[in-house]
């Protein structure tokens, strides 16, 4: 009963390094999304996808890339990490119009 | 543009007392409204949602919320707080045909024994 799986759970990067946060879901959901959560700011949408091959920008897309080659996977890439990207990242998925299922989060620190 | 405002970033209630978490929204089209709960070091879980129809929505764990269009509000209530209700609660909004979910800044609920 995996649901939405995010890896890694914790990561420390140096400024300028790149990395990929992985997200996989086993519920055959069309919609997947990435949020970042910062204190006092709630969750803000970074990128989302309504199906394989289709992605779009959310509220705070700068500094992040995504791709959706399969229904199951939706990786988030940080191209050149900055301290402002220190945050907790959540991946979520659902059928169109349905209930969102969240992963457990990935805590990223950029030094 | 749409937005969600949660009044009170921290709310404390005594065990057994009424829980009231406030949410107001702004939307130019009929909204879909949600309440999510986040326990420490976990992702968010859906408590309840309003799309159309009955304005009083019942969710899990004894929570309910009422959609009031005239007040642009969707406040979350529970008649009697339990220690296990301590968590952070997020109100969120979307619209038909718009898959993006806009979240409020969250309200941390503390239960006093």
């Amino acid at each position: 009963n995996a649901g939405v799986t995010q890896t890694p759970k914790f990561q420390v990067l140096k400024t300028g390094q790149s990395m990929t946060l992985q997200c996989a879901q086993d519920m055959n959901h069309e919609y997947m999304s990435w949020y970042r959560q910062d204190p006092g700011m709630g969750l803000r949408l970074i990128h989302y996808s309504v199906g394989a091959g289709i992605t779009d920008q959310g509220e705070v897309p700068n500094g992040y890339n995504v791709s959706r080659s399969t229904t199951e996977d939706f990786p988030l890439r940080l191209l050149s990490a900055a301290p402002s990207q220190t945050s907790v990242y959540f991946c979520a998925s659902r059928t169109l119009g349905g209930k969102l299922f969240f992963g457990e989060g990935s805590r990223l620190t950029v030094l | 543009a749409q937005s969600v405002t949660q009044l009170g970033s921290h709310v404390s209630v005594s065990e057994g007392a009424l829980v009231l978490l406030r949410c107001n929204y702004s939307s130019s089209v009929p909204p879909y409204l949600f309440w999510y709960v986040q326990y420490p070091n976990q992702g968010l879980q859906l408590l309840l949602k309003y799309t159309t129809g009955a304005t009083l929505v019942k969710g899990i764990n004894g929570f309910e919320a009422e959609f009031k269009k005239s007040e642009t509000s969707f406040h979350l209530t529970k008649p009697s707080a339990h220690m296990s209700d301590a968590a952070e609660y997020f109100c969120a909004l979307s619209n038909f045909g718009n898959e993006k979910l806009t979240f409020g800044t969250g309200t941390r609920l503390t239960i006093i024994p």
Side-chain angles (χ1 to χ4, degrees):
Chain A
N1 207 14
V4 179
T5 303
Q6 290 182 233
T7 56
K9 286 188 167 41
F10 300 94
Q11 182 72 48
V12 179
L13 291 178
K14 294 181 180 179
T15 296
Q17 287 185 315
S18 63
M19 77 156 298
T20 299
L21 298 176
Q22 301 291 346
C23 176
Q25 53 94 6
D26 60 0
M27 297 172 282
N28 202 32
H29 287 166
E30 297 99 333
Y31 179 90
M32 296 185 74
S33 54
W34 277 102
Y35 289 86
R36 59 178 289 173
Q37 184 179 24
D38 302 291
M41 303 193 75
L43 279 80
R44 292 180 292 168
L45 182 64
I46 304 171
H47 285 285
Y48 67 102
S49 168
V50 296
I54 306 169
T55 63
D56 205 349
Q57 295 181 350
E59 184 183 353
V60 288
N62 292 342
Y64 306 94
N65 266 1
V66 291
S67 59
R68 185 91 180 273
S69 56
T70 67
T71 299
E72 294 78 19
D73 300 301
F74 190 45
L76 178 72
R77 282 181 284 275
L78 281 71
L79 307 173
S80 178
S84 62
Q85 294 178 302
T86 294
S87 187
V88 182
Y89 292 85
F90 288 97
C91 180
S93 77
R94 62 172 165 83
T95 53
L96 292 178
K99 168 185 167 183
L100 266 178
F101 290 84
F102 283 83
E104 293 189 344
S106 298
R107 187 176 295 274
L108 175 67
T109 301
V110 182
L111 303 175
Chain B
Q2 55 191 34
S3 66
V4 176
T5 302
Q6 290 184 241
L7 301 173
S9 57
H10 292 87
V11 171
S12 296
V13 301
S14 298
E15 190 175 15
L18 171 72
V19 175
L20 171 61
L21 304 182
R22 299 177 187 275
C23 173
N24 289 88
Y25 69 90
S26 173
S27 177
S28 57
V29 297
Y32 294 167
L33 294 160
F34 307 80
W35 275 100
Y36 283 86
V37 60
Q38 183 180 31
Y39 298 104
N41 300 314
Q42 294 187 25
L44 279 71
Q45 302 171 36
L46 181 67
L47 273 179
L48 50 82
K49 68 175 181 179
Y50 167 81
T51 52
T52 58
T55 56
L56 182 63
V57 180
K58 293 187 186 300
I60 62 172
N61 300 338
F63 284 94
E64 62 182 36
E66 186 171 10
F67 171 64
K68 292 188 176 181
K69 183 178 177 181
S70 61
E71 298 177 10
T72 61
S73 69
F74 191 58
H75 302 332
L76 181 71
T77 60
K78 181 174 180 177
S80 178
H82 192 273
M83 295 301 294
S84 60
D85 295 327
E88 189 153 21
Y89 293 79
F90 292 91
C91 183
L93 175 151
S94 71
N95 309 114
F96 176 76
N98 176 6
E99 299 301 336
K100 299 179 191 179
L101 203 59
T102 299
F103 283 87
T105 53
T107 297
R108 184 169 300 278
L109 177 65
T110 300
I111 310 299
I112 303 166

